[in-house]
Amino acid sequence: MRTGSIGRGLGLATALAALLTAVFMAPASANRAAPADGPQAMKAATVAAPASFTHPGVLVSRPQLDFVRAKVQAGAQPWKSAYDQMLASKYASLTRTAKPRAIVECGSYSNPNYGCTDEREDAIAAYTLALAWYITQDSRYAQKSIEIMDAWSAVIQDHTNSNAPLQTGWAGSSWPRAAEIIKYTYSSWPNSGRFATMLRNVYLPKVINGSNSNGNWELSMTEAAIGIAVFLEDRTAYDKAVTKFRGRVPAYIYITADGALPKTAPGSGLDTRDEIIGYWQGQSTFMDGLSQETCRDLTHTGYGISAISHIAETSRIQGQDLYPEIAERLRHALGLHAKYQLGAAVPSTLCGGTLKDNLGPITEVGFNALHNRMGIAMTNTQTLTEQQRPAGSNNLFVAWETLTHANNPN
């Protein structure tokens, strides 16, 4: 009996040790998979940040850039025509002069517009020039990108007026893309620390807490926050951005599994049917892929879908792939809006039978992730994406995504 007790005791001890080893040795990523909604998602968000950040790692990674560079050098399509389009744009000019301001003041509908367009376009230019540097390895492009980033980091102090959060989100989405490429692939950037201070002190505080305005605001602000967090290697900000993302995406894109009404974002204050329908632009019939801004117009809807794709792309590069959590919503959103942009008759139950404007050059990133990497059939989105190639810039925060993401396996 005594020998048996000892044996059982050793067996229990061995099992306990194995269990503890499994718990403590499990990779951090094993604790990151979680549903898109609910308490588990919030718990997972607290461990979203990678143990070690990947650089360059905001929207584009080094393997992705290497893929693009090889395709352009080989003259392969659609990358070569996309590259030529980019290089011919005003954003790739080596004679560009940055126009920084201490205070960027942006009112509703760009009234007033004191530095708003200049800032957004300088940020896109810095990113464009960084891409041109990597593809050509011509240091003139890197130096011009640095010149633009240095000009702004030496001057800007704040964003003001009603559109300040959105403006900060748009410009703040482009700056880290440029900074990541330059800092981690070019030989020298003496003022990179000052640029980081600018992102931390001027941009991050304006975007990190989100917004209860239309959903494209918070999504663009969250995109900026997560990109800035990567550049700063700020795990707390990264985790907070992922939490915002997980709360906002289900409140921006409806799927029938949500029930009779769309979900609401945490802190939105929307708690009645009438309030929710009002927030959804008066739309009371809900269908897979409908966006909170569909009945406003397709352009603003495109901003939201684009930011969702960008955030998920950055998360994937950083080792925590958010695409599986939002794939069902994103594929339906892309498919629904692509269908009607391609000319399908709009039913009277959808926005009274009329849709305005168009999505813009925003489908490449999400389409590549869901269709090419995950194998999801997306006929309408594929047709629209290929029809729009090469996708250019919306002059706000989207630029050159045929070049960077068309059929990119990395």
Side-chain angles (χ1 to χ4, degrees):
M1 290 292 293
R2 185 168 182 156
T3 303
S5 299
I6 292 171
R8 283 194 297 273
L10 288 171
L12 287 169
T14 301
L16 180 60
L19 177 61
L20 290 170
T21 299
V23 169
F24 288 110
M25 295 302 290
S29 59
N31 297 319
R32 292 182 189 145
D37 315 310
Q40 285 302 111
M42 296 305 169
K43 182 179 179 182
T46 64
V47 291
S52 178
F53 285 94
T54 297
H55 303 291
V58 176
L59 187 60
V60 289
S61 65
R62 189 183 292 268
Q64 287 176 327
L65 291 168
D66 287 339
F67 172 85
V68 172
R69 185 173 182 228
K71 290 295 186 183
V72 171
Q73 287 179 336
Q77 298 296 356
W79 305 276
K80 181 60 167 63
S81 62
Y83 170 74
D84 291 342
Q85 174 198 42
M86 180 187 80
L87 218 59
S89 76
K90 62 183 178 180
Y91 297 119
S93 172
L94 288 169
T95 60
R96 185 181 189 88
T97 300
K99 298 177 180 178
R101 281 176 178 259
I103 306 297
V104 175
E105 183 179 354
C106 307
S108 183
Y109 297 98
S110 299
N111 184 24
N113 179 344
Y114 298 139
C116 314
T117 301
D118 291 338
E119 179 189 29
R120 293 193 306 265
E121 293 193 349
D122 277 348
I124 291 173
Y127 174 54
T128 301
L129 291 157
L131 289 172
W133 142 251
Y134 197 89
I135 292 168
T136 64
Q137 297 293 290
D138 182 339
S139 63
R140 292 178 302 164
Y141 292 112
Q143 286 295 328
K144 178 57 72 169
S145 181
I146 289 170
E147 179 186 307
I148 293 169
M149 290 190 284
D150 283 355
W152 278 90
S153 69
V155 171
I156 190 166
Q157 298 172 14
D158 199 9
H159 298 86
T160 64
N161 215 317
S162 58
N163 267 25
L166 181 60
Q167 171 73 17
T168 311
W170 281 341
S173 293
S174 297
W175 287 130
R177 297 176 204 158
E180 281 281 299
I181 294 171
I182 295 299
K183 182 174 180 179
Y184 291 99
T185 73
Y186 187 62
S187 57
S188 176
W189 180 14
N191 289 319
S192 63
R194 188 178 75 196
F195 190 82
T197 299
M198 176 193 81
L199 292 180
R200 180 175 297 284
N201 294 342
V202 179
Y203 289 81
L204 191 58
K206 277 282 196 299
V207 298
I208 192 62
N209 293 315
S211 164
N212 287 319
S213 183
N214 283 300
N216 82 85
W217 277 50
E218 183 158 271
L219 288 163
S220 288
M221 293 163 70
T222 302
E223 180 186 347
I226 203 167
I228 290 168
V230 170
F231 187 71
L232 298 178
E233 298 197 329
D234 185 333
R235 291 173 178 79
T236 300
Y238 188 97
D239 290 342
K240 190 166 185 176
V242 171
T243 299
K244 285 288 179 188
F245 179 78
R246 283 177 158 141
R248 174 55 68 176
V249 175
Y252 193 70
I253 300 171
Y254 174 86
I255 54 175
T256 54
D258 294 339
L261 290 170
K263 293 179 178 292
T264 58
S268 69
L270 303 173
D271 51 18
T272 70
R273 182 178 187 276
D274 287 348
E275 287 174 343
I276 293 170
I277 289 173
Y279 186 60
W280 282 65
Q281 322 297 323
Q283 177 72 7
S284 58
T285 302
F286 301 98
M287 60 206 72
D288 281 325
L290 184 75
S291 156
Q292 180 256 320
E293 295 185 275
T294 301
C295 296
R296 180 186 185 186
D297 59 66
L298 296 189
T299 302
H300 285 88
T301 299
Y303 299 164
I305 292 172
S306 180
I308 290 169
S309 302
H310 293 168
I311 293 163
E313 192 74 5
T314 294
S315 78
R316 182 180 180 272
I317 293 167
Q318 296 304 324
Q320 179 216 33
D321 193 349
L322 291 171
Y323 277 117
E325 293 183 21
I326 53 102
E328 188 71 0
R329 295 181 192 277
L330 183 57
R331 79 174 182 92
H332 279 302
L334 285 166
L336 178 77
H337 297 92
K339 173 183 175 180
Y340 294 116
Q341 187 166 322
L342 288 167
V346 183
S348 60
T349 53
L350 177 59
C351 309
T354 303
L355 293 173
K356 295 190 297 183
D357 302 336
N358 61 76
L359 292 171
I362 61 92
T363 62
E364 289 278 15
V365 176
F367 173 69
N368 184 56
L370 301 184
H371 178 70
N372 295 328
R373 294 196 200 120
M374 297 176 70
I376 297 171
M378 301 176 72
T379 306
N380 290 325
T381 307
Q382 181 168 1
T383 300
L384 180 62
T385 300
E386 292 175 352
Q387 193 178 95
Q388 292 187 150
R389 284 178 176 166
S393 174
N394 70 356
N395 305 310
L396 299 173
F397 71 107
V398 176
W400 324 124
E401 294 182 354
T402 296
L403 177 65
T404 56
H405 287 85
N407 304 323
N408 197 321
N410 298 299

